């Protein structure tokens, strides 16, 4: 089987044979990571500006998270949500304290967190005596995950077309289009669900006017404002949460990606009356918030809060944007904190990915024109300089 002497080429061939080919993978086999760097099977070093697509917020193998996982793995990995566990309570309290929400539900991924949020708002309308209030308004070019309801919420036909029939009851509007939002939200709306910054479609920050309008319309019609903070949450945008960028507080918010430093976890947070909608039996996840995941998340979120990494993301992110803008061919730089995109005038972004890999740099493109960077929050200006030097050579 696969050993330390198996080559990258052999691993790639076995993947093609045994793994469902759902991913367009880059031709590299990663075997190890430390901080902002990852290493392939041949020992080559890569500066990782993708960080597991915004998951490795504290970099690869952050010592405090590794320590927490190792310790908890030897104590209690999993029980069941039929029983109380201290770590889950502690994590919920921490998330509530830093977010201003009231209660948490734990699951294992972003899509699952959004499923929880969408079930919650549908039930809330029924409990309130408004079963007709069952539509969810989302944005075009949004991304909310890959389950059936999540791809339905995702306003991108390319993710939906092979999987019809979709879930009924969704309406789409162009992101940041205030008039379209006003026209779409009515007495049938149970929620408006938005990303504070659209990530997957190329890093498009929301406007304050749009988010404030969403807040007002939800208040007017008694609908919930859901922020999908799966990617923007926990420091990514240079604030602890994306919503802090525009002074609009959601009723329900979802987290995943960075939350447990690389360990799979998702969470749905809700405040005030929305926090008490679910009752025993309404929703569940076998693995959700198990002791191992909670230990990883507690260590991660505590370090993000206390280590100064949110401020670091803001500072290094703005430095990164300035440097990217100096690259030849860059037409526009967008982003908040360490969620950054560089758009080129010519279709060369995808081509740059493999060239960058050759030079020891891991980057991502959302289309032929746009490079997306979601590096670890621990990135330094020195490493930005190194990345920019490599990009300039390309
Ligand atoms: C990644 C992402 C998701 C999906 O998360 P999974 O863990 O892959 O299910 C949902 N929403 C946003 C905004 C994301 O970036």
């Amino acid at each position: 089987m696969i050993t330390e002497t198996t080559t990258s080429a052999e691993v790639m061939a076995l993947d093609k044979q045994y793994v469902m080919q759902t991913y367009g993978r880059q031709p590299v086999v990663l075997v190890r990571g430390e901080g902002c760097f990852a290493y392939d099977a041949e020992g080559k070093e890569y500066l990782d500006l993708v960080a597991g697509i915004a998951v490795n917020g504290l970099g690869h193998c952050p010592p405090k998270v590794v320590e927490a996982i190792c310790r908890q793995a030897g104590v209690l990995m999993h029980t069941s949500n039929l029983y109380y566990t201290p770590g889950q309570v502690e994590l919920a309290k921490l998330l509530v304290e830093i977010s201003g929400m009231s209660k948490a539900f734990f699951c294992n991924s972003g899509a699952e967190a959004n499923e929880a949020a969408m079930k919650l708002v549908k039930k809330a309308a029924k409990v309130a005596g408004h079963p007709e209030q069952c539509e969810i308004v989302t944005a075009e070019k949004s991304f909310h995950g890959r389950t059936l309801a999540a791809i339905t919420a995702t306003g991108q036909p390319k993710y939906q077309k092979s999987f019809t029939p979709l879930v009924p009851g969704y309406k789409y509007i162009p992101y940041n289009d205030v008039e379209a939002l006003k026209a779409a939200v009515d007495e049938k709306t149970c929620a408006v669900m938005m990303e504070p910054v659209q990530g997957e479609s190329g890093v498009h920050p929301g406007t304050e006017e749009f988010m404030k309008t969403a807040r007002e319309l939800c208040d007017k019609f008694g609908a919930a404002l859901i922020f999908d903070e799966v990617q923007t949450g926990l420091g990514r945008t240079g604030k602890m949460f994306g919503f802090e960028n525009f002074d609009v507080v959601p009723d329900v918010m979802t987290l995943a990606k960075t939350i447990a430093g690389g360990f799979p976890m998702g969470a749905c947070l809700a405040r005030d009356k929305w926090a008490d909608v679910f009752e025993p039996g309404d929703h569940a996840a076998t693995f959700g918030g198990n002791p191992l995941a909670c230990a990883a998340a507690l260590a991660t979120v505590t370090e993000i809060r206390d280590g100064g990494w949110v401020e670091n993301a803001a500072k290094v992110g703005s430095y990164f944007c300035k440097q990217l803008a100096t690259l030849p061919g860059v037409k526009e730089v967008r982003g908040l904190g360490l969620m950054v995109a560089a758009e080129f005038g010519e279709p060369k972004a995808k081509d740059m990915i493999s060239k960058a890999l050759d030079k020891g740099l891991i980057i991502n493109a959302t289309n032929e024109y746009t490079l997306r960077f979601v590096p670890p929050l621990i990135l330094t200006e020195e490493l930005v300089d190194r990345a920019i030097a490599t990009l300039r050579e390309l």
Side-chain angles (χ1 to χ4, degrees):
M1 246 336 264
I2 294 176
T3 66
E4 275 178 13
T5 60
T6 310
T7 64
S8 291
E10 287 166 325
V11 173
M12 289 185 243
L14 288 165
D15 180 281
K16 294 217 159 46
Q17 185 176 355
Y18 291 110
V19 180
M20 285 194 200
Q21 297 293 297
T22 54
Y23 303 100
R25 297 197 208 269
Q26 295 302 316
V28 58
V29 178
L30 298 174
V31 296
R32 193 169 71 78
E34 194 181 331
C36 294
F37 294 94
Y39 301 84
D40 72 13
E42 278 71 33
K44 181 173 164 183
E45 180 181 271
Y46 299 85
L47 174 56
D48 186 358
L49 299 188
V50 177
I53 313 190
V55 168
N56 303 105
L58 295 172
H60 293 281
C61 301
K64 286 180 186 161
V65 181
V66 171
E67 207 256 332
I69 290 174
C70 291
R71 185 172 7 95
Q72 188 63 43
V75 176
L76 185 68
M77 266 192 235
H78 180 82
T79 52
S80 159
N81 281 307
L82 294 177
Y83 313 102
Y84 295 92
T85 50
Q88 194 179 113
V89 178
E90 212 177 332
L91 177 62
K93 180 167 179 283
L94 174 60
L95 291 172
V96 160
E97 283 167 1
I98 62 173
S99 67
M101 298 288 121
S102 307
K103 285 183 184 172
F105 169 83
F106 295 106
C107 49
N108 312 287
S109 68
E112 270 182 80
N114 287 332
E115 288 276 340
M118 293 186 285
K119 283 178 71 176
L120 190 156
V121 296
K122 285 188 175 183
K123 187 184 173 197
K126 290 180 180 60
V127 170
H130 294 291
E132 77 290 352
Q133 203 179 354
C134 60
E135 283 182 357
I136 298 178
V137 176
T138 71
E140 290 167 8
K141 299 193 176 138
S142 59
F143 187 79
H144 299 293
R146 301 296 200 124
T147 61
L148 265 176
I151 59 166
T152 307
T154 295
Q156 300 194 55
K158 69 174 177 183
Y159 293 130
Q160 303 172 331
K161 65 179 194 308
S162 306
F163 307 106
T164 51
L166 299 173
V167 178
Y170 285 81
K171 266 194 195 168
Y172 311 95
I173 56 148
Y175 192 61
N176 283 340
D177 185 332
V178 172
E179 293 312 314
L181 184 63
K182 284 183 185 161
V185 179
D186 56 26
E187 48 289 321
K188 276 164 72 186
T189 308
C190 65
V192 173
M193 178 155 115
M194 294 290 156
E195 294 157 90
V197 181
Q198 287 193 330
E200 196 267 355
S201 62
V203 187
H204 298 277
T207 63
E208 178 143 25
E209 189 195 2
F210 182 70
M211 297 303 171
K212 289 214 154 123
T213 305
R215 181 66 276 171
E216 284 161 20
L217 289 167
C218 286
D219 290 342
K220 178 172 167 198
F221 290 102
L225 180 59
I226 306 175
F227 276 173
D228 177 343
E229 295 249 14
V230 167
Q231 188 163 156
T232 51
L234 299 165
R236 176 61 47 195
T237 68
K239 305 268 186 194
M240 185 58 91
F241 297 99
F243 73 77
E244 294 171 45
N245 289 293
F246 14 73
D247 197 20
V248 170
V249 180
D251 301 302
V252 179
M253 120 184 166
T254 55
L255 299 170
K257 295 215 158 87
T258 295
I259 191 169
F263 200 87
M265 171 173 262
C268 171
L269 310 184
R271 77 181 161 104
D272 302 335
K273 66 173 186 183
W274 309 97
D276 293 311
V277 171
F278 282 147
E279 294 167 296
D282 280 336
H283 197 47
T286 295
F287 291 115
N290 86 2
L292 195 55
C294 287
L298 255 178
T300 303
V301 178
T302 304
E303 176 63 16
I304 289 175
R305 184 192 59 183
D306 299 343
W309 303 120
V310 182
E311 298 75 15
N312 190 67
K315 177 169 145 277
V316 177
S318 75
Y319 179 72
F320 193 15
C321 284
K322 279 197 203 102
Q323 299 305 309
L324 277 173
T326 70
L327 288 176
V330 169
K331 216 177 68 185
E332 190 190 12
V333 177
R334 291 184 298 268
L336 279 174
L338 280 173
M339 189 168 176
V340 175
E343 194 156 318
F344 292 89
E346 285 160 43
K348 56 183 178 187
K350 295 236 158 129
D351 188 42
M352 285 175 82
I353 299 179
S354 52
K355 290 190 176 148
L357 262 189
D358 285 344
K359 292 182 182 290
L361 181 66
I362 297 180
I363 56 175
N364 173 252
T366 57
N367 59 45
E368 287 290 354
Y369 294 88
T370 314
L371 290 180
R372 168 175 58 163
F373 305 93
V374 278
L377 308 178
I378 62 171
L379 194 70
T380 61
E381 292 184 356
E382 201 185 339
L383 289 176
V384 167
D385 289 342
R386 177 164 160 178
I388 293 290
T390 306
L391 289 170
R392 199 179 294 279
E393 285 173 38
L394 304 177

